[in-house]
Amino acid sequence: MIRMTLNSFAFLTVLSALVTSGQLAAAQDAATPDEIATFEEYEAIKEALQPYIVSARTGDGALTRKAFYDHAHIVGSIGGTLYNMDADTFAGAIDDGGPSENVRHHIAWINVSGPAAAARVEFIDWGGNRFTDFFVLYKEGDLWKISGKVYNSHANN
């Protein structure tokens, strides 16, 4: 048999009353303006990554190029070969690689601080490779764009 102290019983009684009256649910549903703004920024960053993510499937370098600032650099290695490209060269590499119709992705995390953000996106079966991409993004006006990317090609390194 479970023994309940008087304090535990009082806590459960109050909790039960709050749940029954809907006060606890109302308190949990209230989001602060900062929480709402942060949530909206996460959604905007996911949207900013979409041209890049779609280009993995389609092999469309022009589409991926739209996601990057002009100054952006992309650094990583495949098969032990280091690649350090500007955004235009990277767009050409996407074109050269062609479509990867079976590619899958997962946005592992997004971290936002004002107009600066970072994101990690995992890809599997992009041209037969698995990639972990780390993006640095910046918001200019209302538009998030990728400022830089570093990546790991896992087993092909």
Side-chain angles (χ1 to χ4, degrees):
M1 177 171 226
I2 299 174
R3 292 187 181 183
M4 195 178 295
T5 66
L6 185 55
N7 287 340
S8 296
F9 180 77
F11 172 76
L12 290 175
T13 302
V14 170
L15 182 60
S16 176
L18 286 172
V19 170
T20 303
S21 69
Q23 291 174 2
L24 182 62
Q28 290 176 333
D29 289 341
T32 68
D34 286 345
E35 290 170 330
I36 293 168
T38 300
F39 183 82
E40 289 171 355
E41 293 302 341
Y42 285 108
E43 294 301 313
I45 291 166
K46 285 171 45 178
E47 188 66 29
L49 292 169
Q50 284 308 300
Y52 179 86
I53 291 168
V54 170
S55 72
R57 185 176 30 82
T58 63
D60 184 347
L63 181 60
T64 202
R65 179 63 185 87
K66 292 177 183 179
F68 288 89
Y69 278 106
D70 290 340
H71 68 264
H73 262 75
I74 295 86
V75 178
S77 61
I78 300 174
T81 301
L82 176 67
Y83 294 94
N84 184 352
M85 299 175 268
D86 61 30
D88 292 326
T89 304
F90 182 69
I94 296 294
D95 282 333
D96 292 345
S100 289
E101 295 172 1
N102 296 321
V103 68
R104 295 184 333 218
H105 79 281
H106 169 70
I107 299 175
W109 52 257
I110 295 172
N111 195 331
V112 182
S113 179
R120 175 181 171 176
V121 182
E122 298 285 340
F123 291 92
I124 190 85
D125 200 11
W126 186 348
N129 298 302
R130 175 179 174 213
F131 291 98
T132 298
D133 292 349
F134 295 95
F135 297 95
V136 176
L137 300 98
Y138 191 79
K139 183 180 181 183
E140 187 175 357
D142 290 334
L143 184 65
W144 285 97
K145 288 187 105 172
I146 301 168
S147 182
K149 173 189 125 157
V150 296
Y151 65 92
N152 175 29
S153 62
H154 293 271
N156 292 320
N157 250 339

